[in-house]
Amino acid sequence: MAHQSIADINFLWGQLILEELQRLGVKHVCLAPGSRSSPLTLAAAQQAKLTTHSHFDERGLGFMALGLAKSSQAPVAIITTSGTAVANLYPAVIEAWLTQVPLIVLSGDRPIELIDCGANQAIPQPGIFAQYAKQINLPTADFDFPASALLTSLDQAVSGLTQPLHINCMYREPLYPEKVCALGEQDSVAIQNYLKPLANWLEHSHPFTDYQSSVPGNTPCEASLRRFVHGKGLIVLGTLSPDEDPKQILELAKTIGWPVLVDAQSQLRQHPQVLGHIDQLLHHSPSKKMLQQADRVLVFGGRFVSKRLIQYLAEQSWHTYWQVLAHQQRLDPSHQTKQVWLSSITHFCRAPWHRSSQALWADSLQATNHQLEAIFNDKIDNGEFGEAQTMREIAKYNSGEQQLFIGNSLPIRLYDMYAPLTEKTNNIYTNRGASGIDGLIATAVGVAKGNQLPTSMIIGDISCLHDLNSFALLKQLSSTFVLVIFNNDGGNIFNLLPVPNEQLRSDYYRLSHGCEFGYGAAMFNLAYRQVDELDDFKQVYQEAFEFECASVIEVNVSPNQASDQIAELAQWVKQAL
């Protein structure tokens, strides 16, 4: 094949791939610079129906794509060049696999004759993501490979996609066509002949193969529902996304008459009608004894933050355990005998439910839940400045009008334990599949870009250091984004672990760094403030919402403040209720 014909078919395959992905629901493409992926990059740049995002760091790029997919509720494509560029996507792909997020990795690759022979930037890329992604390993672009076969392979893999897909694209040089024409408008006779079988497809905007999606809608019969609610039961909410509208479950709970226990990621952690302080209620002996009377449970979702809640669910001898999931997964580390219903929340809540024979059996727990709120108001809100106090202030501010992305380690646990009760609830986003501290800022930026809502992100200092490159992504934002960094000079969460002695904790766990983030913010020209008291934080935080750009607020606290306060509050919960 002539050199220029190779460049033309490379680019044409890139166009066909990007066009079909757009028809299959992809709205955003995230690109990192590189030469081997040029046929894909040039095709993405030409695609008017796709929004493109660029970043120099592939690890951050992958996490930004993850956030975009979460908030836009659509698959997101990622384009990288060959070699370790692809490997840098691994953490984001793992998180997407665990949390059922459709990422589509398009990796440029060397042709087979340049693999394992010392060629530059060439590694074996097929199967690089192991079990964490479906695979399409394309041959080098060639006129002898039918365009229809290329499209049907994409259709089969992407239709109904709920987890990552890796499409490895081998390209021979040259990689750059002499001119870039719209799909179907090339004047090359070879390309026109190649596209003839796609004449009808080029005339419309639908995928080449239209797979009709089937939405899970399995629900129990009325007799089963009657038997299930005949006893003392609980409704427990795990990780649920805002688009699932978990508030519907509150009406179901009213009908049945059972209490609702919620995780930080349920979207209802702060709602006054639920037992939001469940982690601390299980710390309170009388409340725990009452909860131990339950003999049946209805769980929506999974992946809980609170170890006490996880342990409680594992230790109970359940008469009946039902779990409702949108997709088939195994989300129960205690491996309880259960009935799993694959259904949307809406469909399941519309089943013909009946009043429980033991309705309102644990109604007194609601008063205890509000007593806990009064204790937190006194001991945290009116106490010493620190991480829990700042977290509660953020959760109270503008409730219902912003979205929160909460980082792993200590921030998400503080929110789960102490978030205040309020009628208006914020949308909550996390990366709690693998619960890593890498790529958190990039994911939050993706969430903000995906829906353009005002966003607050709460992150620890070690997590921020892991993702400092993503300050460049913050600079790209044109919507309100407030990055709040809890700087306790190391991994404060390790103060909560039974490490044998303080020297080991200091040398191998906390890893004090002595860094501040002002110079990092300045390097990327981001607005920055540092605070060490609540009134200053309130003022600076409110001011940040007046601007449609990213701001950084560094909250400085002592290394032991949060861990000491958690221990003190535990004693108050045990004794004061």
Side-chain angles (χ1 to χ4, degrees):
M1 191 187 300
H3 269 6
Q4 199 50 51
S5 294
I6 292 174
D8 290 341
I9 190 64
N10 285 341
F11 176 58
L12 178 60
W13 272 36
Q15 287 181 300
L16 291 169
I17 291 169
L18 269 297
E19 173 63 26
E20 190 69 347
L21 289 181
Q22 179 269 317
R23 297 185 185 200
L24 289 164
V26 172
K27 301 174 183 177
H28 297 271
V29 181
C30 298
L31 306 98
S35 182
R36 189 60 55 167
S37 54
S38 288
L40 296 163
T41 299
L42 296 174
Q46 190 192 50
Q47 251 287 351
K49 295 179 182 179
L50 291 171
T51 302
T52 57
H53 311 267
S54 299
H55 188 35
F56 54 80
D57 174 8
E58 283 87 1
R59 188 180 76 165
L61 185 81
F63 277 107
M64 179 172 65
L66 179 74
L68 279 164
K70 285 185 176 186
S71 61
S72 67
Q73 293 298 308
V76 172
I78 307 167
I79 295 175
T80 73
T81 191
S82 60
T84 58
V86 189
N88 274 288
L89 300 176
Y90 217 136
V93 168
I94 289 173
E95 180 68 22
W97 181 79
L98 285 166
T99 54
Q100 302 268 305
V101 177
L103 294 186
I104 302 173
V105 176
L106 296 166
S107 57
D109 195 3
R110 260 62 179 170
I112 191 67
E113 66 268 16
L114 294 182
I115 303 299
D116 197 23
C117 64
N120 182 51
Q121 201 174 315
I123 67 172
Q125 291 177 192
I128 191 171
F129 299 117
Q131 71 185 65
Y132 301 110
K134 293 169 61 177
Q135 295 183 54
I136 299 178
N137 294 306
L138 294 175
T140 51
D142 196 297
F143 285 110
D144 290 331
F145 190 95
S148 57
L150 176 62
L151 297 180
T152 55
S153 64
L154 294 172
D155 297 338
Q156 192 275 332
V158 177
S159 296
L161 187 68
T162 60
Q163 289 181 302
L165 167 67
H166 177 208
I167 306 173
N168 196 51
C169 307
M170 289 184 166
Y171 293 117
R172 290 191 174 93
E173 296 184 10
L175 302 171
Y176 303 92
E178 289 183 351
K179 58 181 179 179
V180 176
C181 300
L183 182 61
E185 296 182 4
Q186 293 92 336
D187 54 14
S188 163
V189 174
I191 289 179
Q192 289 178 3
N193 290 333
Y194 186 73
L195 291 176
K196 276 183 180 179
L198 303 184
N200 291 335
W201 177 80
L202 290 167
E203 293 297 322
H204 60 69
S205 59
H206 308 297
F208 192 79
T209 309
D210 190 2
Y211 288 92
Q212 294 298 313
S213 61
S214 60
V215 179
N218 190 17
T219 55
C221 66
E222 187 170 359
S224 294
L225 292 172
R226 284 185 181 275
R227 288 192 297 271
F228 179 68
V229 300
H230 187 65
K232 295 181 178 181
L234 302 168
I235 299 174
V236 182
L237 310 189
T239 302
L240 302 170
S241 64
D243 66 290
E244 292 180 275
D245 192 14
K247 284 186 178 180
Q248 300 171 89
I249 301 170
L250 299 180
E251 291 302 315
L252 171 61
K254 286 181 182 178
T255 299
I256 301 174
W258 287 351
V260 181
L261 285 54
V262 298
D263 179 78
Q265 306 161 99
S266 66
Q267 311 302 326
L268 295 176
R269 167 62 185 84
Q270 296 179 248
H271 202 285
Q273 294 179 27
V274 305
L275 298 180
H277 294 314
I278 184 58
D279 178 85
Q280 299 297 291
L281 283 170
L282 289 168
H283 218 21
H284 177 238
S285 183
S287 299
K288 184 175 181 179
K289 287 180 179 178
M290 176 168 284
L291 287 165
Q292 286 171 339
Q293 298 177 32
D295 63 355
R296 51 205 71 210
V297 64
L298 174 59
V299 178
F300 287 86
R303 299 192 187 281
F304 302 101
V305 172
S306 169
K307 288 186 177 180
R308 293 189 186 94
L309 180 55
I310 294 169
Q311 187 175 10
Y312 165 74
L313 290 171
E315 291 177 347
Q316 282 292 101
S317 297
W318 300 107
H319 175 275
T320 313
Y321 189 126
W322 283 4
Q323 186 175 28
V324 181
L325 299 172
H327 309 285
Q328 184 169 328
Q329 291 177 278
R330 189 169 60 154
L331 292 182
D332 174 17
S334 64
H335 308 291
Q336 296 273 358
T337 299
K338 68 176 66 62
Q339 171 73 59
V340 176
W341 302 96
L342 299 182
S343 173
S344 67
I345 289 175
T346 299
H347 194 79
F348 203 81
C349 288
R350 288 177 180 172
W353 290 94
H354 295 272
R355 190 74 167 167
S356 170
S357 59
Q358 296 289 332
L360 308 181
W361 68 273
D363 207 35
S364 63
L365 288 176
Q366 197 67 51
T368 311
N369 194 59
H370 284 273
Q371 280 183 278
L372 280 170
E373 178 61 20
I375 289 176
F376 298 153
N377 182 68
D378 180 39
K379 299 298 178 183
I380 299 177
D381 298 351
N382 297 313
E384 64 176 338
F385 181 70
E387 290 160 87
Q389 187 183 69
T390 307
M391 178 64 76
R392 281 176 58 86
E393 185 63 33
I394 293 169
K396 284 187 286 187
Y397 182 78
N398 264 353
S399 279
E401 298 176 15
Q402 63 167 326
Q403 58 190 3
L404 300 181
F405 192 105
I406 307 177
N408 288 325
S409 264
L410 195 55
I412 188 62
R413 288 172 172 83
L414 291 174
Y415 181 81
D416 189 56
M417 290 189 287
Y418 307 128
L421 307 182
T422 174
E423 282 287 351
K424 294 181 179 179
T425 57
N426 300 300
N427 290 343
I428 304 296
Y429 291 91
T430 61
N431 275 359
R432 293 291 296 177
S435 298
I437 61 170
D438 46 355
L440 295 173
I441 297 173
T443 309
V445 170
V447 168
K449 282 189 170 190
N451 55 28
Q452 295 295 308
L453 293 177
T455 304
S456 288
M457 180 183 192
I458 308 95
I459 191 173
D461 48 349
I462 299 294
S463 298
C464 191
L465 288 171
H466 261 269
D467 203 21
L468 206 56
N469 275 354
S470 291
F471 274 30
L473 296 176
L474 290 175
K475 183 60 182 172
Q476 299 175 10
L477 288 173
S478 57
S479 58
T480 301
F481 189 105
V482 187
L483 174 64
V484 179
I485 306 168
F486 289 162
N487 190 349
N488 53 48
D489 192 26
N492 197 328
I493 194 169
F494 293 113
N495 292 340
L496 304 175
L497 301 180
V499 179
N501 61 65
E502 291 307 309
Q503 192 64 48
L504 285 170
R505 191 191 310 276
S506 175
D507 291 348
Y508 297 101
Y509 290 87
R510 292 203 72 257
L511 298 180
S512 298
H513 50 77
C515 296
E516 294 184 348
F517 293 90
Y519 288 111
M523 177 180 176
F524 293 95
N525 198 27
L526 296 171
Y528 167 84
R529 293 290 294 275
Q530 186 183 78
V531 299
D532 55 13
E533 61 178 44
L534 185 61
D535 288 341
D536 285 349
F537 176 79
K538 287 181 179 179
Q539 179 182 344
V540 171
Y541 188 68
Q542 291 173 16
E543 288 174 354
F545 277 86
E546 297 175 6
F547 303 97
E548 293 185 346
C549 62
S551 305
V552 179
I553 303 175
E554 183 174 349
V555 177
N556 285 102
V557 294
S558 71
N560 299 311
Q561 187 278 327
S563 53
D564 290 349
Q565 187 174 46
I566 289 170
E568 180 185 352
L569 286 167
Q571 292 304 311
W572 271 96
V573 170
K574 290 177 180 178
Q575 298 169 10
L577 284 179

